[in-house]
Amino acid sequence: MPLYAECILPVPLAQTFTYRLTEQQAASASIGMRVIVPFGKQHHYTGIIVSITPHAPEGIEIKDVTELPDGAAVIRHPQYALWQWIAEYYMCPIGDVMKAALPAKLKPESGKAGIIREDFKPKTRTYVKILIPPLGTDVSVERNSMLAEAFDKLKRSQRQQELFMKLLDMSHCLQKADADLVPQDELFKATGYDSTVLRELIKKKLCEQQEVVVSRLDTDDDYRNFSTEQPFPLTEIQNVAFRNICSSFKDKSVTLLHGVTSSGKTEIYIHLMREVIAQKRQGLMMVPEIALTTQLCIRLRRVFGKRMLVYHSKLNDDERAEIWNRMLTDDSVDLILGVRSSVFLPFSQLGLIIVDEEHEPSYKQQDPAPRYNGREVAIMLASRHSAKVLLGSATPSLESYYLAQQGRFGYVRLKERHAGVSLPKMSLISMREARKNQAMNGPFTPALIKSVNHTLLEGHQAILFQNRRGFSPTVECTVCGWTPKCPRCDVSLTFHKRTSRLSCHYCGYSQSWPSACPQCQHSSFAQQGYGTERIEETISRLMPLAKPVRMDTDTTGSKSSYEKIIRDFDSKKSNVLIGTQMVSKGLDFGGVDTVGIMNADSLMNFPDFRSHERAFQLIEQVAGRAGRRAGQEGEVLIQCNEPRHPLLQQVIAHDYEAMAEMQLADRKKYFYPPFSRLIMIYMKGRYEDRLDALAARYATVLRKAFGDRILGPEAPGIARIKNLYIRQIMLKIEREASTQMVRQYLNTIQNTMMQDDQEFSKIVFYYDVDPM
């Protein structure tokens, strides 16, 4: 009886696909294995078997499985169950979940042009093995004879003699019982010779080459030679928090650790991970940005050594696939330090997940689907493994804080900084008053210039936070006010002085500086506003002692660039760090005395119900970079137009509880999270008037089912991206409502309207559940 494999494919479709297994394939096939299968007329995809059945679906053509490339499964059962949950909860096809979860090298595909991506291949390195018996009395006579014979063979070639002598030295053949294999590239580097000379030694049977599988992850000597140490002992206050967390885990699956900046949360994390690993279980520590992995990696590697792996977006495809395969086959992986995508890794014995800086919006995937929140997926992943979750933050998300106050999560508070270090002094500086007195110097008030200059004079460091990258956010004709805009998106182009181009931060379009205004033909343009690049240039003029460095997406295009910026600032090669939100995320520098927030109003005045919560979190987190060493009182200067704003008063008092109480009262009044769940329905189309008409009709139908839970349709802040107009409809539902049922209902409505009106089939629909 033939058997059939039901498979998921990395395509944006919700259903599974059935293929016929040959008798030989059926004997070895199992759930979770990869299959290479035909799809359409000319494509082949890598799929995953999710079930094997003797029953074929009726009424469709069944194609054969082309190949089973592996001898074992590449995903575990808890992973597939998690993929299903993500697809259902975040309202996206399971094919999109597979595409996001599986490393590219594990899902090769082919098309009209042949192979698009090759399958993963282990990395090998060529070594040279000397063919002289090693040290030992039983072969010493034979060895000495062979050495004499070897030098006799080489007496006519000085180059071959020198290469052989170096090989003897590097293999330690004459000093130890077991001769070492010598990396061929290191041998060539040490002698200056190449394979031409080596081939002569091989012909004379003095050595041979060997290909050895090596790890792509062990390229750093510091990593290979890292010796582990005991973690630092916890202080009395940290130890109380540690015990409270352990106690909370007895009856709570999730606990929130609410600890002020520099309170030593990382040391508590390390001790918790050691406890879990001692129980022969694995740990996952999640951070929101790759920048955090650089500093954290050093601290964690000191304790966990090579049993810890780092997983983030800057790894190449081969490195990601190697980590995946090691976790499937190697039980020596105890700990993963990773960003949000690390929740997809094939854990076997997961015991604890720590989500550091759990409030961060970076945990939310925006595009493409699945638009998941790494924090929420981590909680679901832990439940699949009967593991615990610790959420850590100095400024928790209101959702997590509310659930902790309601008793759904455990709650542990750390109110004091480590080693008696005091929280930084906060000051509000009025830009309105400075402008009134004509005292502003670019984006700087006199108070901020004075404070930073004094800090640098004392030999200390400063951080300046500006949430706009580039040189100037807008360029304007000084005669008629014309502003260059992106031809594909509804946004002004940002000028980047380093490249001398105007760029769109949404679609990547760029153009050169305009030679003349297309409206009035004048060639006089003014640069409006300050991005991080322009602030960096301005500092050099206003602060003679400054050695500035910039951290934003323009300067951190690779893993090494992140590391260099952090390393240079940590070693004080630079003394002023200018950055966007990246500088708010858990960086630990002992030399920072002063932090400047360039424009607090721009954070608060964003049209979103979370804007005040986000502003508090950002300012408090950036402020937490100051004064992190004993005996040092950091200073934070917040430039703003409204110093009396209630939120800013809460910020300077470090009063998270007052902010949370005020914001939660507003959320409850207007039925926003955490008192409801939001689903944003997006519609995209090429023709604005047609899209408006269809969106209005769709919203009318939705209101018949959901009533006043439907808001919109309306244009978002950026109403056109990549030549597609966008309309959004907000659906507020009760938290206890089933998202699966809501999804089924929305899909039914959408499918009905598409069948009734062909115009709907030209519209792109997608959902964003729990938008950030």
Side-chain angles (χ1 to χ4, degrees):
M1 178 183 294
L3 290 179
Y4 300 90
E6 188 180 354
C7 309
I8 50 175
L9 301 180
V11 293
L13 297 170
Q15 72 266 33
T16 56
F17 302 88
T18 303
Y19 291 88
R20 184 185 299 105
L21 292 161
T22 65
E23 186 175 337
Q24 184 179 3
Q25 290 169 341
S28 59
S30 64
I31 293 173
M33 286 181 67
R34 295 191 303 164
V35 290
I36 308 297
V37 294
F39 188 80
K41 292 183 178 180
Q42 294 178 305
H43 279 81
H44 275 77
Y45 281 107
T46 302
I48 298 289
I49 299 176
V50 295
S51 71
I52 297 174
T53 175
H55 306 293
E58 296 181 359
I60 62 171
E61 179 189 357
I62 305 296
K63 296 181 180 180
D64 294 332
V65 169
T66 303
E67 182 185 353
L68 294 176
D70 309 303
V74 298
I75 70 166
R76 305 180 191 276
H77 175 70
Q79 285 177 280
Y80 179 56
L82 183 70
W83 291 7
Q84 289 177 305
W85 178 84
I86 292 171
E88 290 178 2
Y89 185 83
Y90 290 103
M91 299 187 178
C92 68
I94 195 164
D96 279 338
V97 181
M98 176 192 168
K99 190 170 185 177
L102 210 61
K105 286 285 182 165
L106 296 184
K107 50 179 192 288
E109 62 186 58
S110 66
K112 295 178 181 178
I115 295 296
I116 297 173
R117 287 192 295 266
E118 293 184 357
D119 205 354
F120 172 73
K121 292 181 177 61
K123 180 180 179 181
T124 61
R125 191 179 189 187
T126 304
Y127 286 80
V128 180
K129 180 182 180 181
I130 194 165
L131 298 178
I132 297 294
L135 184 65
T137 55
D138 55 334
V139 293
S140 57
V141 175
E142 180 186 357
R143 184 188 60 177
N144 292 337
S145 174
M146 289 184 70
L147 280 172
E149 184 181 342
F151 283 111
D152 186 60
K153 291 179 181 179
L154 303 174
K155 63 184 180 182
R156 295 184 179 180
S157 173
Q158 182 178 348
R159 299 170 72 199
Q160 294 176 28
Q161 286 183 31
E162 290 176 356
L163 187 65
F164 184 68
M165 289 288 289
K166 180 56 69 172
L167 182 58
L168 282 171
D169 179 45
M170 294 178 70
S171 67
H172 306 103
C173 176
L174 304 181
Q175 291 85 36
K176 55 191 291 190
D178 295 318
D180 296 331
L181 293 176
V182 178
Q184 179 176 281
D185 54 344
E186 293 182 12
L187 178 64
F188 291 163
K189 184 177 179 181
T191 61
Y193 298 136
D194 57 19
S195 57
T196 305
V197 183
L198 180 64
R199 278 197 297 269
E200 295 302 316
L201 299 187
I202 295 172
K203 285 181 183 178
K204 293 170 182 175
K205 301 189 182 309
L206 300 178
C207 62
E208 65 182 16
Q209 292 172 309
Q210 289 187 2
E211 292 294 320
V212 179
V213 175
V214 295
S215 173
R216 291 177 170 86
L217 311 173
D218 299 354
T219 55
D220 186 353
D221 286 338
D222 291 337
Y223 175 77
R224 287 201 300 266
N225 301 326
F226 222 102
S227 58
T228 57
E229 304 172 13
Q230 292 295 312
F232 297 118
L234 298 177
T235 65
E236 183 179 348
I237 294 173
Q238 290 170 343
N239 205 33
V240 169
F242 174 82
R243 293 197 301 270
N244 288 341
I245 292 168
C246 293
S247 177
S248 174
F249 280 157
K250 291 178 181 177
D251 59 358
K252 303 288 185 185
S253 297
V254 182
T255 294
L256 173 63
L257 175 58
H258 184 180
V260 297
T261 55
S262 196
S263 57
K265 294 188 290 294
T266 302
E267 289 305 319
I268 295 174
Y269 299 159
I270 290 172
H271 281 258
L272 287 168
M273 284 296 180
R274 286 184 81 240
E275 292 272 322
V276 169
I277 292 169
Q279 299 167 13
K280 305 298 182 184
R281 302 193 73 183
Q282 295 168 305
L284 167 61
M285 183 167 174
M286 295 174 64
V287 290
E289 291 276 1
I290 178 183
L292 289 185
T293 66
T294 301
Q295 286 193 317
L296 266 178
C297 187
I298 295 171
R299 296 178 67 176
L300 296 177
R301 190 81 76 200
R302 189 183 68 83
V303 178
F304 301 105
K306 292 177 66 172
R307 299 178 74 87
M308 181 191 82
L309 297 179
V310 183
Y311 194 80
H312 52 67
S313 59
K314 299 299 181 183
L315 297 175
N316 63 43
D317 290 343
D318 283 312
E319 289 168 334
R320 292 192 210 187
E322 180 174 328
I323 290 175
W324 189 283
N325 286 335
R326 278 185 63 174
M327 293 191 69
L328 285 172
T329 60
D330 187 350
D331 61 3
S332 69
V333 180
D334 290 335
L335 174 62
I336 292 290
L337 171 64
V339 293
R340 64 172 179 254
S341 58
S342 58
V343 295
F344 293 120
L345 289 170
F347 295 95
S348 56
Q349 297 290 332
L350 190 60
L352 175 65
I353 301 178
I354 294 173
V355 185
D356 192 29
E357 310 291 357
E358 65 86 30
H359 65 280
E360 271 292 337
S362 301
Y363 282 119
K364 173 72 170 174
Q365 165 75 10
Q366 300 297 338
D367 282 307
R371 296 172 178 83
Y372 67 98
N373 188 315
R375 179 188 65 206
E376 305 307 315
V377 175
I379 292 172
M380 185 55 61
L381 171 65
S383 72
R384 303 282 176 187
H385 288 265
S386 299
K388 302 296 183 181
V389 178
L390 181 68
L391 307 177
S393 177
T395 54
S397 65
L398 288 183
E399 286 85 350
S400 296
Y401 180 74
Y402 175 77
L403 291 174
Q405 296 303 305
Q406 294 295 306
R408 298 272 299 278
F409 292 172
Y411 184 71
V412 176
R413 190 75 161 96
L414 260 176
K415 292 187 175 182
E416 296 182 23
R417 280 184 151 189
H418 174 66
V421 175
S422 60
L423 287 168
K425 175 187 174 184
M426 312 277 277
S427 301
L428 298 173
I429 311 298
S430 174
M431 292 190 293
R432 178 175 293 173
E433 192 67 25
R435 278 193 293 267
K436 181 179 176 182
N437 297 328
Q438 297 184 336
M440 290 291 292
N441 201 325
F444 291 94
T445 59
L448 183 55
I449 295 173
K450 180 180 178 181
S451 179
V452 174
N453 274 326
H454 177 74
T455 293
L456 302 183
L457 188 62
E458 293 288 314
H460 301 309
Q461 295 170 295
I463 291 178
L464 298 176
F465 171 69
Q466 170 73 337
N467 211 25
R468 298 290 294 267
R469 63 186 174 100
F471 191 81
S472 56
T474 57
V475 172
E476 186 178 275
C477 173
T478 59
V479 178
C480 70
W482 173 82
T483 296
K485 293 187 176 182
C486 176
R488 300 184 292 200
C489 309
D490 282 344
V491 292
S492 299
L493 297 176
T494 298
F495 177 58
H496 291 254
K497 191 170 184 178
R498 183 179 61 87
T499 59
S500 296
R501 295 188 70 80
L502 298 163
S503 299
C504 173
H505 290 173
Y506 286 85
C507 73
Y509 168 86
S510 71
Q511 67 178 51
S512 58
W513 185 269
S515 58
C517 172
Q519 289 189 175
C520 69
Q521 306 308 312
H522 283 81
S523 57
S524 176
F525 296 95
Q527 297 164 3
Q528 304 292 339
Y530 284 79
T532 50
E533 190 181 17
R534 193 174 187 183
I535 287 174
E536 181 182 22
E537 181 181 274
T538 307
I539 282 174
S540 301
R541 176 172 54 85
L542 298 177
M543 303 168 189
L545 296 177
K547 294 177 286 184
V549 64
R550 183 160 46 95
M551 180 185 282
D552 54 33
T553 54
D554 294 329
T555 62
T556 54
S558 66
K559 179 177 65 173
S560 59
S561 57
Y562 271 106
E563 293 171 349
K564 185 178 188 308
I565 290 169
I566 291 171
R567 188 169 57 246
D568 287 353
F569 194 69
D570 204 22
S571 63
K572 297 192 176 181
K573 289 182 180 178
S574 53
N575 57 11
V576 180
L577 177 63
I578 308 133
T580 54
Q581 294 188 29
M582 292 180 185
V583 300
S584 73
K585 299 176 183 178
L587 297 175
D588 188 5
F589 300 112
V592 176
D593 271 10
T594 300
V595 166
I597 312 293
M598 301 303 298
N599 187 351
D601 303 87
S602 65
L603 304 176
M604 298 187 299
N605 298 333
F606 197 75
D608 184 271
F609 73 93
R610 285 194 175 94
S611 62
H612 283 192
E613 175 193 6
R614 290 269 173 76
F616 184 96
Q617 290 167 338
L618 270 172
I619 296 172
E620 187 73 13
Q621 290 285 341
V622 177
R625 305 313 110 205
R628 296 173 74 91
R629 67 179 186 275
Q632 169 199 31
E633 182 183 26
E635 182 180 27
V636 180
L637 288 85
I638 304 170
Q639 296 189 156
C640 58
N641 290 311
E642 298 289 344
R644 296 181 182 179
H645 195 288
L647 183 76
L648 294 179
Q649 294 299 316
Q650 293 160 357
V651 166
I652 63 171
H654 301 286
D655 196 346
Y656 173 89
E657 284 77 9
M659 182 278 297
E661 182 180 352
M662 178 180 291
Q663 296 304 312
L664 285 172
D666 282 347
R667 303 275 184 93
K668 186 174 184 179
K669 180 179 179 181
Y670 297 107
F671 197 48
Y672 276 107
F675 303 98
S676 68
R677 176 167 286 127
L678 299 186
I679 300 174
M680 300 298 295
I681 305 166
Y682 287 95
M683 305 172 68
K684 292 184 177 181
R686 292 200 172 274
Y687 304 103
E688 186 173 19
D689 54 348
R690 189 179 302 171
L691 179 65
D692 282 332
L694 295 173
R697 286 172 54 195
Y698 186 47
T700 299
V701 175
L702 291 176
R703 282 194 181 88
K704 292 178 181 177
F706 296 103
D708 59 6
R709 296 179 183 85
I710 294 291
L711 300 177
E714 64 179 8
I718 309 299
R720 183 173 61 106
I721 297 177
K722 296 182 180 178
N723 282 330
L724 289 176
Y725 292 94
I726 308 168
R727 295 297 179 264
Q728 64 186 27
I729 297 171
M730 179 187 290
L731 170 58
K732 295 182 183 179
I733 60 173
E734 289 74 12
R735 291 198 64 83
E736 58 273 14
S738 166
T739 53
Q740 184 179 3
M741 292 185 65
V742 171
R743 178 191 183 186
Q744 290 174 353
Y745 200 83
L746 288 171
N747 284 341
T748 299
I749 295 174
Q750 180 182 329
N751 292 336
T752 301
M753 297 192 73
M754 284 184 172
Q755 291 171 5
D756 293 343
D757 189 339
Q758 287 296 316
E759 292 297 324
F760 269 95
S761 63
K762 301 174 184 176
I763 300 297
V764 176
F765 282 85
Y766 67 89
Y767 305 104
D768 189 1
V769 180
D770 301 336
M772 297 291 285

